[in-house]
Amino acid sequence: MKIMNRILLFVGFIAIATSSCAQTPNKSKAALGVPPYKILNTDSAYVTPADLKKNAPVMIIYFSPDCSHCQHLMYELKPKMKDFKNVQVVMVTFVLQLKAIQVFYRDFDLKRYPNFTVGTEGETYLVQRYFDVHTTPYIALYDKNHKLVKAWEKAPSVDELADEAKKL
């Protein structure tokens, strides 16, 4: 019995060590800056971080057009859009159907906000892996130097998000 307990303890230790090591690189990558994404936007053009304005804060929102939490975030964000007018918002999804992304863009009338870019990273999952995203929406806020200020694995209140954006 002692041997079995030692084996189970050893296997448990290996599992914990492996899972904690797997998450460390993603968190350190996020601290480096904006992920090196390449997304296909709603106009069927590719957009990368090179398209971001210098000296302007950035908010990356990893979302899914059919995610109820993502839609809820957008409904709550709508009346507070003025609080984000100086923030470049890049909404990235893994969803391949450009039509679904265009419908999301249209339904939330995002064309009225030139600081919003919405697109798909397709099957690269680069942004998803970069942040180690498990649920949507995932939000990362960067300062004007494009250094990570704060990240949320679950949607914060829009008031909290707006307060953080105002500090930038």
Side-chain angles (χ1 to χ4, degrees):
M1 229 23 203
K2 286 184 180 182
I3 293 174
M4 184 60 104
N5 287 341
R6 286 183 181 169
I7 291 172
L8 287 173
L9 182 64
F10 179 73
V11 169
F13 175 75
I14 295 297
I16 290 169
T18 304
S19 68
S20 66
C21 289
Q23 294 176 5
T24 303
N26 291 325
K27 294 192 186 322
S28 64
K29 274 191 218 173
L32 294 176
V34 174
Y37 60 83
K38 181 179 181 184
I39 60 173
L40 183 65
N41 72 10
T42 54
D43 293 330
S44 297
Y46 282 101
V47 181
T48 70
D51 298 303
L52 293 171
K53 294 176 188 170
K54 305 288 184 231
N55 297 315
V58 177
M59 183 166 48
I60 305 285
I61 302 175
Y62 199 82
F63 80 108
S64 178
D66 61 351
C67 161
S68 62
H69 296 287
C70 302
Q71 292 169 3
H72 184 73
L73 172 70
M74 294 307 295
Y75 283 120
E76 288 187 357
L77 201 59
K78 193 95 163 139
K80 297 203 174 247
M81 288 298 226
K82 66 183 180 305
D83 294 334
F84 299 94
K85 68 181 179 199
N86 297 321
V87 177
Q88 301 172 91
V89 180
V90 181
M91 299 186 70
V92 181
T93 185
F94 56 90
V95 172
L96 294 172
Q97 298 86 6
L98 193 56
K99 186 67 177 168
I101 300 161
Q102 291 168 333
V103 168
F104 181 90
Y105 187 80
R106 182 203 66 211
D107 287 352
F108 291 104
D109 202 18
L110 294 175
K111 70 179 177 210
R112 291 185 53 209
Y113 308 98
N115 60 317
F116 271 74
T117 301
V118 181
T120 180
E121 68 174 343
E123 293 178 326
T124 67
Y125 304 110
L126 188 141
V127 176
Q128 188 180 60
R129 286 193 312 265
Y130 189 87
F131 292 119
D132 194 25
V133 175
H134 295 284
T135 60
T136 56
Y138 178 95
I139 303 170
L141 188 61
Y142 294 85
D143 65 15
K144 66 180 185 170
N145 299 313
H146 300 176
K147 296 296 178 198
L148 184 66
V149 173
K150 195 165 185 176
W152 294 267
E153 290 185 17
K154 294 183 180 181
S157 73
V158 172
D159 288 334
E160 179 185 350
L161 201 52
D163 288 345
E164 289 292 332
K166 287 177 191 174
K167 294 177 190 176
L168 303 175

